[in-house]
Amino acid sequence: VASCFPNSYYIHTTREKIENVEIVVEFCEEHSHAVEQILYCENWDNLILNIDRIIFVEDEITTGKTIVNFINALKDNGKVDKKMKFSACSIINAMSKDRRDELMKIGLNFHYLMKIEVNCSENDCFISENNEPYVYDYKFTELSVNGLINPRLGILTTSYIDACNELSKKVAYLFDYYKKRIAVIGTEEFMYPVIKIANFIRKDCHPKFVNTHSTTRSPIVCDKNENYPIKSRFKLTSLYDEKRTTYIYNTDKHEYDIVMIITDSNKKDINVNQIAGAFNQCKNFLLVRWN
């Protein structure tokens, strides 16, 4: 979305702790699996002088409460003035009409691709299968690529896109991908550059096919039901924090020649055994750190 506005400023909220950077606001997403959210920005006071609208982008908006909490945190902490306009964009909107009308009265406009009604039935019963990863013999290579730009700190959109494109080119020429089956894996919040890399390989390197996944904190139920999309899940230790549990889904749907894990984690020792177990038919794994 930000890339459609070339002169825009792009920031994404985070649940990571970043040292030596001032927190703009903290707010809560009460219904989430990871409640606390943080907004950092290295030059918020200068940035906000030239901004007249903030656009929140979400995958799904259910009640709008998280965005309201976010707006209230900005206002209550004096981070925006009273004239600031707000919009919320999402793929899915599951809000009731009354709730949407209520929030529009406080100046929050909504834009979305799909409207759904949330109606749960007692007959909707799914069995959660949690596949435990296992270790086997495989080849593992670790590399570093320079040029990291961190959108958690706020960045001009064009600068971020340029950096992601440059990263894509560097990663695309690490291997011969011709007629290979490739999986490109992102780590939690670090997913957009990974999607860009996968797309670059798809277009320029002539693989047999490329799929991209990302690890996530979301514990989604999986089931073998024919009409249900999440067939399998693997539990993983976070590449950022050993105390955090993450998941990855549907990794056993295809066989791969190369599985590439791309991350901005600066954690020194990263154990890829669990991810290797999730892709148990692949023998070649590459970890690329963006530094």
Side-chain angles (χ1 to χ4, degrees):
V1 173
S3 68
C4 294
F5 303 92
N7 297 316
S8 65
Y9 210 76
Y10 173 59
I11 313 175
H12 75 70
T13 60
T14 182
R15 296 175 177 94
E16 305 297 335
K17 302 294 183 182
I18 303 176
E19 296 182 0
N20 304 319
V21 180
E22 184 178 353
I23 294 175
V24 179
V25 291
E26 297 180 74
F27 61 101
C28 289
E29 186 175 1
E30 288 98 332
H31 62 279
S32 175
H33 47 275
V35 173
E36 297 81 11
Q37 294 219 46
I38 306 170
L39 182 71
Y40 293 97
C41 184
E42 291 183 311
N43 60 338
W44 179 266
D45 290 341
N46 291 329
L47 162 70
I48 208 65
L49 293 174
N50 299 312
I51 301 299
D52 61 9
R53 181 179 296 274
I54 294 175
I55 302 174
F56 303 96
V57 182
E58 283 275 14
D59 52 356
E60 176 186 359
I61 296 175
T62 308
T63 65
K65 190 169 185 180
T66 299
I67 293 173
V68 171
N69 289 347
F70 198 167
I71 291 172
N72 288 340
L74 290 169
K75 288 181 176 179
D76 293 347
N77 288 278
K79 299 300 182 180
V80 295
D81 62 33
K82 295 180 180 179
K83 296 180 180 179
M84 183 64 68
K85 302 180 184 71
F86 301 99
S87 295
C89 302
S90 63
I91 298 172
I92 294 172
N93 188 304
M95 298 175 65
S96 67
K97 183 179 183 304
D98 289 344
R99 177 61 172 165
R100 189 165 67 250
D101 291 345
E102 177 187 347
L103 297 185
M104 288 181 70
K105 288 179 181 177
I106 65 172
L108 181 56
N109 297 311
F110 292 91
H111 308 270
Y112 50 86
L113 298 182
M114 181 182 294
K115 182 74 177 74
I116 65 170
E117 300 295 331
V118 180
N119 294 308
C120 297
S121 168
E122 292 180 1
N123 296 322
D124 293 338
C125 180
F126 296 94
I127 307 300
S128 177
E129 294 184 3
N130 188 25
N131 300 309
E132 291 297 334
Y134 54 88
V135 180
Y136 67 106
D137 293 331
Y138 58 87
K139 179 183 177 183
F140 170 65
T141 305
E142 180 175 334
L143 299 170
S144 294
V145 176
N146 293 327
L148 172 67
I149 288 183
N150 190 349
R152 299 178 185 89
L153 306 180
I155 188 68
L156 281 170
T157 300
T158 48
S159 298
Y160 188 52
I161 297 296
D162 289 345
C164 290
N165 287 338
E166 189 63 30
L167 173 66
S168 298
K169 292 176 185 177
K170 291 177 180 178
V171 172
Y173 297 113
L174 291 176
F175 281 109
D176 178 9
Y177 301 100
Y178 183 73
K179 296 296 184 182
K180 298 289 198 310
R181 301 163 298 182
I182 313 296
V184 189
I185 311 302
T187 54
E188 300 176 53
E189 296 170 353
F190 185 74
M191 67 177 75
Y192 178 74
V194 179
I195 295 169
K196 295 283 284 186
I197 290 168
N199 196 41
F200 191 94
I201 292 173
R202 179 186 66 83
K203 292 191 299 183
D204 285 42
C205 302
H206 308 291
K208 186 172 183 179
F209 65 81
V210 181
N211 287 326
T212 181
H213 297 254
S214 286
T215 62
T216 176
R217 301 186 193 200
S218 301
I220 304 171
V221 170
C222 61
D223 190 89
K224 298 299 185 182
N225 185 301
E226 182 181 351
N227 297 317
Y228 190 71
I230 308 297
K231 298 291 193 278
S232 64
R233 80 176 185 184
F234 290 85
K235 184 189 293 185
L236 312 170
T237 300
S238 170
L239 270 65
Y240 299 87
D241 183 353
E242 291 181 353
K243 298 178 181 178
R244 183 191 307 160
T245 298
T246 60
Y247 303 89
I248 194 166
Y249 299 92
N250 288 353
T251 57
D252 51 2
K253 187 176 181 179
H254 299 283
E255 292 185 23
Y256 295 98
D257 298 302
I258 302 171
V259 173
M260 308 173 64
I261 304 107
I262 319 291
T263 187
D264 63 347
S265 170
N266 56 17
K267 188 171 175 290
K268 289 184 178 180
D269 298 314
I270 291 181
N271 187 340
V272 299
N273 284 350
Q274 292 178 329
I275 292 179
F279 293 89
N280 56 42
Q281 298 183 69
C282 185
K283 300 293 185 183
N284 192 9
F285 291 83
L286 172 67
L287 175 69
V288 179
R289 295 178 185 265
W290 198 19
N291 294 325

